[in-house]
Amino acid sequence: MTIRAEGLALSAGGEPVLHPVSLELAPGLPNVLLGPTGAGKTTLLRLLAGLDRPSEGRLFAEGQEVTGQPVRRRSVAMVYQQFINYPTLSVFENIASPLRVARLKRAEIEQRVREAARLMRLEPYLARRPLELSGGQQQRTAIARALVKRAALVLMDEPLANLDYKLREELREELPKLFAETGSTFVYATTEPAEALLLGGYVATLSEGRVTQFGRAGEVFRRPADLATARVFSDPPLNEAPARCEGGRLVLDSGPVLPAPVGGLAEGPCTIGIRAHQVSLETLPGAVPLPATVRVAEVTGSESYVHVTAGGRDWVVLAPGVRRPEPGQEVTLWLDPQRCLVFGVDGRLAAVAALAEAA
Amino acid sequence: MARIAFERLAHGYPGSSAYALKPMDMVWENAGAYALLGPSGCGKTTLLNIVSGLLRPREGRVLFDGHDVTALPTERRNVAQVFQFPVVYDTMTVRENLAFPLRNRGVPAAQARMRVEHVAGLLGLAGMLDRRARNLGADDKQKISLGRGLVRDDVAAILFDEPLTVIDPHLKWELRSRLKELHRQVPVTMIYVTHDQTEALTFADRVVVMSEGEVVQVGTPEALFERPAHSFVGHFIGSPGMNFLPCAVEGDAALLPGGHRISLPRAYGPLTGKVELGIRPEFAALAQEGLPVTLRRIEDLGRRRIARVELQGVPFAATLPEGMVVPAEPRLALDPARLHVYADGRLVEGRG
Amino acid sequence: MAKPVDNRAWFLVLPVVALVAFSALIPVMTVVNYSVQDSFGNNEFFWNGTGWFKELLDPSTDLGGRFLDALWRTLLFSGLCLLIEVPLGIGVALTLPRRGWGVAASLVLLALPLLIPWNVVGTIWQVFARRDIGLLGAAVNGLGIEYNYAQSPLAAWVTVVAMDVWHWTSLVVLLCYAGLRAIPDAYYQAAKVDGASSWAVFRAIQLPKMQRVLTIAILLRFMDSFMIYTEPFVVTGGGPGNATTFLSIDLVKIALGQFDLGKAAAMSIVYNLIVLTVCWIFFATTTRSQSEAVQ
């Protein structure tokens, strides 16, 4: 089912909680809401579910207006961050519960529960109680219960946040198959950029109650429409340098001068954004040096995150291999103009260089 | 500050003869940064609680600088702890929160004030000392919890129990790097419990990987990444984890499923049990030449791409090099220097 | 969580509105009606305007003096009850076991006094404290302490206050216990690590975390004790003299004893307003201090 929001907004006590949102959400690929805590993800989910009534705007399901229709009469299922199951019922009965409420025939219930259990790989545990399962299995039970209804719209609010890292990885791999196999429209809220990319669908970035961009995950990542989007969709955080555009050159406030990556940039103040993996500690052809002081280095085994202070700002550089420069050590960062994002004074994306768009 | 040692330490919960923590000997050096890494239920929190004194082990001894502290209660051990969910004293200001452990120990007010201001400076809390602690964000609250540990100059060790669980990703970076900087400035033994490998590897000098109540490997992040001693470590460290291919090894060659033969960097004697070849996705790439594979999916992680392929029905993760167009007939190239052989899950040392 | 929007839901409230109108609104209007009239029996009523209210609020008149005396007695009683029951309740709640079979046992034991009807409580204490056959009364007198609640105002006060403490401390205990149980273990562990004494733990963790339930406990206990009637009426009947004549007892004396419906009606309105005002002030100040703390 295609869900369309037209200027959906919510305010409380005269203060806007969510600024008008217009989106079209389709089945097949997940629709990820990405943003930090308090950005409005849960608010938007609740509006889409019909749990809250929008103060403005309209909501359509398959072209039919459903604004204000109670959630009970809509085909919606929800999965929460906490594993919500009935503790006294078996896994089978937990999954079957929405069907029992809907008074389906016994055989039909049996068949649908088995199918959902197969998808979520819960078949061996159907007779157990939720508390006898691992966290991952408990959350799979909750997801299976949401699936079994065959709801047209399935909303997931940070469903993996309470799981162990490796379990999260496992479910992240399984979920895209699920999204493709069932005909439901999935909306998935998360705070983690990596998760938004891994799920590989559409992303709506949220910042301070505003949807800043909506598009394919990879495209939004590589061509963020504005600074807010780039910040939300960067992990480690986006490195930023205030600068001025003067006659085809970008003059950083801290001194260094870069040739503009593309022509036709408006003169005046701008912000250069560059992600950690696009900055180098080694000289690159065409790159400009930027002096920096090491704060601390973190080694992940194959790569190192070197935290530095450059031009009075905290930057993170992702360097290949194991590097442990001493804190306080002076290093040179190499900025390749071809890997930079340039944001205008209004925060809008002014230029995206060729290599910043590459993988 | 202390060197922490465990002697034949083991623990089980009442009413069960099974070990929650299997017998172990280990030493944590003074002023080291250690991480206890493992999935839920691996015993890492049990071990942490034994160090802090919240739990008394069933067997063995805990030594701080050679002194047996096994029977000492928490308050007499000089340890500080930061919990998963931030604990602040609601009615107090940030300053009062930081001064609380000092006040409880009867430290003179003037001295306490100096310590509090020093620690607040280290943590970046100086500007909010007189604000009420309960109104702050989760990250600042965690800084306060940490500050209550740092404020005592006699603290033997600071224990962290999954401290970044409720912190947003971009704040995690700030808090983590600050923690690391702090460890440089204040040389105190730090022990960090987590299920998140990135947190463990980036924080610690040495990572203790645990599984099912057992220490599987202790090592530097590089060692755990490059030479996992156990297939569990290979799988748990790295994202995605190490690939394991069933194989037969003959001297310095491995026979892979489908009859492919590849040469190994070292030679091996006769092996028994389940023999597997382990290689990390970082050292396996799609290429024009190599083993024929079936492509299942490409994962676009933004800064790199992972190809999920199958080799004779065995799932395998490989790197898709930057700028490479997905080949129609993908082949897999393995970096021979990075191949490891495992028998029944344990790393086998080769010759040469 | 679920908050479907449907304005027809308001219809569901109608039965309650009807019930409240019948059970509360109509009686209150009757009382207001009486309060502005005077009656000499025979169901004859005369308009008296605000006469009763003026008399009531002027301490120099008979009615006013009597009202003020009863008001002070009632406030003193409520104050004593709160002063004893709240600290005692917190203290008991802190000593209750937190796990094991002791939890259920002590909760059942504590709940027992709450289950006894008011007049039965009164009767129990009336007998219990009698100097001739009462266990308590006889024992105290046996120790050589003169104790007779029927003659000594002090003994009468001690008896009614002790009775209220016996009856209602459990409520404070149960509420505080619920508040204490809601504190996550990590707080206690952190306090241990910080080397906090039991007193510091109480001040820094337990008391702040009990603030909300304590607000409710104090409010409930104030309202109940300020409106107490049955128990002291059964034990002392308001005596000796007028020593334990609380507002509620005085009200009944005027209304039913002297059948002064107008005076009694005016008095009950003022009484009611006092309760409402005190509760409102209390509620407003505590919730404001809490919401300030949150901002």
Side-chain angles (χ1 to χ4, degrees):
Chain A
M1 183 170 72
T2 307
I3 308 286
R4 187 156 49 90
E6 271 182 18
L8 214 57
L10 185 74
S11 43
E15 291 289 309
V17 179
L18 188 73
H19 295 270
V21 174
S22 297
L23 290 176
E24 192 162 310
L25 310 172
L29 288 170
N31 302 281
V32 179
L33 307 182
L34 173 68
T37 307
K41 301 186 300 294
T42 305
T43 309
L44 181 52
L45 279 184
R46 290 177 61 88
L47 290 178
L48 291 173
L51 288 168
D52 291 325
R53 197 193 182 97
S55 30
E56 271 173 58
R58 303 198 294 169
L59 194 61
F60 299 86
E62 211 63 81
Q64 297 278 317
E65 174 153 10
V66 292
T67 326
Q69 209 178 77
V71 68
R72 216 164 17 87
R73 284 203 266 134
R74 293 214 217 152
S75 183
V76 174
M78 203 143 175
V79 179
Y80 298 90
Q81 184 178 341
Q82 296 81 12
F83 320 139
I84 301 176
N85 292 306
Y86 300 103
T88 56
L89 299 183
S90 66
V91 170
F92 184 96
E93 284 305 318
N94 259 288
I95 302 175
S97 57
L99 305 180
R100 301 242 188 257
V101 172
R103 292 170 195 275
L104 258 63
K105 289 209 185 68
R106 185 180 294 243
E108 166 99 26
I109 291 180
E110 176 84 21
Q111 184 243 324
R112 282 221 214 165
V113 171
R114 298 262 167 220
E115 191 197 319
R118 181 186 59 76
L119 272 177
M120 291 322 293
R121 300 197 309 174
L122 283 167
E123 284 153 312
Y125 314 108
L126 284 173
R128 297 214 202 151
R129 300 269 157 88
L131 292 178
E132 297 164 10
L133 303 177
S134 72
Q137 290 159 346
Q138 287 183 42
Q139 189 63 319
R140 284 207 191 113
T141 307
I143 296 175
R145 195 174 57 235
L147 293 178
V148 79
K149 281 165 81 174
R150 296 192 185 149
L153 179 62
V154 180
L155 304 164
M156 306 175 121
D157 196 355
E158 299 188 42
L160 307 186
N162 283 3
L163 290 176
D164 265 16
Y165 190 81
K166 274 285 153 178
L167 282 172
R168 230 182 270 179
E169 241 178 55
E170 230 172 78
L171 276 172
R172 274 176 192 158
E173 257 179 66
E174 286 170 27
L175 287 174
K177 292 177 213 159
L178 184 80
F179 298 145
E181 272 183 47
T182 60
S184 310
T185 299
F186 287 87
V187 184
Y188 185 111
T190 180
T191 59
E192 295 190 32
E195 195 159 274
L197 283 163
L198 258 173
L199 293 173
Y202 291 86
V203 170
T205 45
L206 281 101
S207 172
E208 293 170 3
R210 243 178 251 279
V211 170
T212 56
Q213 194 173 356
F214 179 66
R216 285 302 293 261
E219 283 164 32
V220 176
F221 180 80
R222 293 187 178 90
R223 290 188 72 92
D226 53 24
L227 197 51
T229 308
R231 282 178 184 153
V232 166
F233 214 156
S234 291
D235 186 40
L238 183 74
N239 298 316
E240 292 172 38
R244 291 186 64 80
C245 181
E246 288 173 7
R249 298 180 318 158
L250 297 168
V251 183
L252 267 62
D253 288 5
S254 60
V257 180
L258 273 69
V262 294
L265 284 179
E267 300 278 303
C270 62
T271 303
I272 294 174
I274 183 161
R275 290 200 170 94
H277 69 283
Q278 306 272 32
V279 187
S280 176
L281 290 173
E282 260 81 44
T283 168
L284 294 170
V288 173
L290 181 67
T293 313
V294 174
R295 277 176 54 220
V296 73
E298 299 178 314
V299 175
T300 68
S302 58
E303 296 167 320
S304 310
Y305 292 106
V306 184
H307 296 253
V308 299
T309 311
R313 286 170 166 261
D314 287 347
W315 276 37
V316 188
V317 180
L318 175 63
V322 174
R323 284 157 182 274
R324 289 202 173 88
E326 280 301 304
Q329 190 181 322
E330 304 289 329
V331 290
T332 305
L333 308 184
W334 293 91
L335 284 190
D336 181 350
Q338 289 307 317
R339 291 174 189 267
C340 290
L341 303 166
V342 183
F343 299 96
V345 69
D346 55 354
R348 306 292 303 170
L349 183 72
V352 51
L355 288 174
E357 261 192 299
Chain B
M1 272 154 254
R3 175 181 191 266
I4 300 173
F6 306 108
E7 284 181 357
R8 298 306 298 156
L9 185 81
H11 189 68
Y13 286 95
S16 154
S17 62
Y19 281 119
L21 197 62
K22 290 179 190 154
M24 58 173 244
D25 289 275
M26 200 163 26
V27 175
W28 292 340
E29 294 302 336
N30 182 25
Y34 291 87
L36 302 181
L37 173 67
S40 306
C42 72
K44 56 189 194 296
T45 303
T46 306
L47 184 54
L48 192 77
N49 287 339
I50 288 174
V51 175
S52 68
L54 293 169
L55 210 60
R56 193 162 169 186
R58 197 160 73 184
E59 295 163 27
R61 303 201 299 161
V62 182
L63 307 175
F64 282 14
D65 282 335
H67 300 290
D68 188 344
V69 296
T70 319
L72 282 189
T74 305
E75 54 272 27
R76 295 190 41 209
R77 286 199 185 186
N78 282 341
V79 292
Q81 190 160 356
V82 179
F83 297 89
Q84 191 171 8
F85 297 98
V87 174
V88 296
Y89 303 110
D90 288 352
T91 50
M92 300 184 193
T93 61
V94 175
R95 185 191 300 279
E96 287 163 340
N97 258 283
L98 292 177
F100 189 67
L102 300 179
R103 228 177 54 204
N104 289 328
R105 289 175 172 79
V107 174
Q111 196 186 332
R113 201 184 163 78
M114 266 175 52
R115 287 293 305 167
V116 166
E117 274 166 16
H118 173 65
V119 166
L122 284 178
L123 290 169
L125 290 171
M128 50 178 86
L129 274 176
D130 293 309
R131 283 177 60 186
R132 264 187 192 265
R134 75 147 68 148
N135 305 333
L136 300 174
D139 53 322
D140 285 330
K141 284 184 177 173
Q142 277 308 43
K143 283 188 199 164
I144 295 174
S145 310
L146 172 58
R148 285 204 311 269
L150 288 173
V151 79
R152 290 157 49 193
D153 45 14
D154 61 345
V155 74
I158 303 182
L159 315 179
F160 298 88
D161 190 359
E162 311 204 359
L164 299 183
T165 306
V166 294
I167 311 289
D168 266 10
H170 62 288
L171 293 172
K172 266 184 195 170
W173 285 92
E174 200 235 305
L175 212 54
R176 227 172 56 198
S177 62
R178 207 178 267 283
L179 197 61
K180 188 114 182 153
E181 272 182 290
L182 208 68
H183 184 246
R184 288 265 178 179
Q185 295 164 13
V186 189
V188 52
T189 314
M190 290 192 179
I191 298 145
Y192 191 111
V193 162
T194 180
H195 60 80
D196 185 324
Q197 42 131 347
T198 314
E199 279 177 36
L201 296 172
T202 51
F203 170 79
D205 305 331
R206 293 184 85 78
V207 179
V208 179
V209 185
M210 296 181 72
S211 170
E212 293 173 4
E214 207 171 349
V215 174
V216 202
Q217 189 175 0
V218 184
T220 59
E222 301 95 290
L224 295 178
F225 183 81
E226 279 163 17
R227 284 179 62 80
H230 195 281
S231 59
F232 174 82
V233 179
H235 160 77
F236 205 82
I237 304 269
S239 180
M242 197 177 224
N243 296 298
F244 290 97
L245 292 170
C247 71
V249 172
E250 293 161 5
D252 61 356
L255 208 59
L256 291 178
H260 300 285
R261 194 181 180 87
I262 55 174
S263 59
L264 299 172
R266 288 167 290 268
Y268 296 84
L271 299 171
T272 52
K274 191 173 81 170
V275 179
E276 287 166 306
L277 201 59
I279 185 160
R280 294 216 170 262
E282 286 81 354
F283 307 126
L286 286 200
Q288 306 300 334
E289 305 276 308
L291 306 167
V293 289
T294 322
L295 184 67
R296 289 284 168 232
R297 202 169 73 252
I298 300 283
E299 283 172 3
D300 180 359
L301 304 189
R303 66 179 176 85
R304 61 188 184 126
R305 292 177 296 171
I306 304 283
R308 299 280 181 175
V309 298
E310 266 178 27
L311 190 106
Q312 298 293 320
V314 183
F316 195 99
T319 301
L320 186 63
E322 184 172 334
M324 185 186 197
V325 180
V326 181
E329 278 180 19
R331 286 174 177 267
L332 186 63
L334 308 178
D335 179 350
R338 308 291 191 160
L339 289 166
H340 295 290
V341 174
Y342 292 82
D344 282 335
R346 304 210 169 266
L347 179 70
V348 185
E349 297 290 333
R351 292 182 306 270
Chain C
M1 251 331 241
K3 210 165 52 182
V5 190
D6 192 336
N7 282 324
R8 282 173 302 178
W10 287 106
F11 286 115
L12 297 174
V13 186
L14 273 182
V16 178
V17 173
L19 202 70
V20 168
F22 190 75
S23 67
L25 217 57
I26 295 172
V28 166
M29 291 323 290
T30 317
V31 172
V32 172
N33 185 28
Y34 281 144
S35 73
V36 291
Q37 301 188 63
D38 195 359
S39 156
F40 303 103
N42 298 335
N43 242 354
E44 284 177 69
F45 288 93
F46 306 93
W47 176 253
N48 190 24
T50 56
W52 294 130
F53 290 98
K54 282 180 184 151
E55 210 178 320
L56 200 62
L57 298 175
D58 180 0
S60 63
T61 63
D62 261 3
L63 182 65
R66 181 176 174 172
F67 176 75
L68 202 66
D69 286 347
L71 178 62
W72 282 126
R73 279 192 288 271
T74 314
L75 282 174
L76 181 64
F77 177 73
S78 285
L80 284 174
C81 288
L82 286 179
L83 271 179
I84 299 172
E85 287 169 21
V86 170
L88 187 63
I90 295 175
V92 174
L94 287 173
T95 54
L96 284 185
R98 273 196 216 134
R99 48 183 71 85
W101 58 271
V103 176
S106 43
L107 290 186
V108 168
L109 211 62
L110 279 167
L112 279 179
L114 299 175
L115 302 175
I116 304 173
W118 285 257
N119 55 343
V120 179
V121 172
T123 314
I124 290 173
W125 277 79
Q126 201 221 6
V127 177
F128 186 51
R130 268 174 71 162
R131 59 177 307 176
D132 47 356
I133 56 166
L135 196 60
L136 176 72
V140 172
N141 278 295
L143 289 172
I145 301 164
E146 187 56 35
Y147 170 77
N148 185 345
Y149 65 80
Q151 279 173 11
S152 146
L154 181 65
W157 269 85
V158 170
T159 311
V160 287
V161 171
M163 178 169 62
D164 198 81
V165 169
W166 177 82
H167 195 179
W168 289 113
T169 304
S170 298
L171 180 73
V172 182
V173 175
L174 293 181
L175 284 169
C176 289
Y177 186 65
L180 285 174
R181 284 288 294 267
I183 302 175
D185 254 359
Y187 277 83
Y188 291 111
Q189 294 180 9
K192 257 193 200 174
V193 167
D194 289 338
S197 62
S198 319
W199 171 245
V201 170
F202 176 69
R203 282 293 311 278
I205 300 172
Q206 291 167 325
L207 197 58
K209 295 277 174 199
M210 275 195 292
Q211 201 187 352
R212 276 163 204 279
V213 285
L214 273 179
T215 308
I216 295 169
I218 292 174
L219 202 61
L220 283 178
R221 283 315 303 135
F222 171 76
M223 289 198 301
D224 266 359
S225 59
F226 196 73
M227 299 188 294
I228 194 159
Y229 172 75
T230 315
E231 295 129 294
F233 183 76
V234 171
V235 179
T236 63
N242 277 332
T244 57
T245 299
F246 302 122
L247 269 179
S248 57
I249 296 178
D250 207 23
L251 192 62
V252 174
K253 277 186 187 168
I254 293 173
L256 300 179
Q258 306 165 337
F259 216 71
D260 268 333
L261 285 186
K263 285 183 191 174
M267 207 165 146
S268 46
I269 286 173
V270 175
Y271 189 12
N272 207 339
L273 288 177
I274 294 173
V275 175
L276 279 179
T277 317
V278 173
C279 289
W280 181 76
I281 291 172
F282 181 76
F283 187 74
T285 49
T286 52
T287 49
R288 189 192 311 144
S289 70
Q290 278 173 11
S291 67
E292 255 172 21
V294 169
Q295 275 158 17

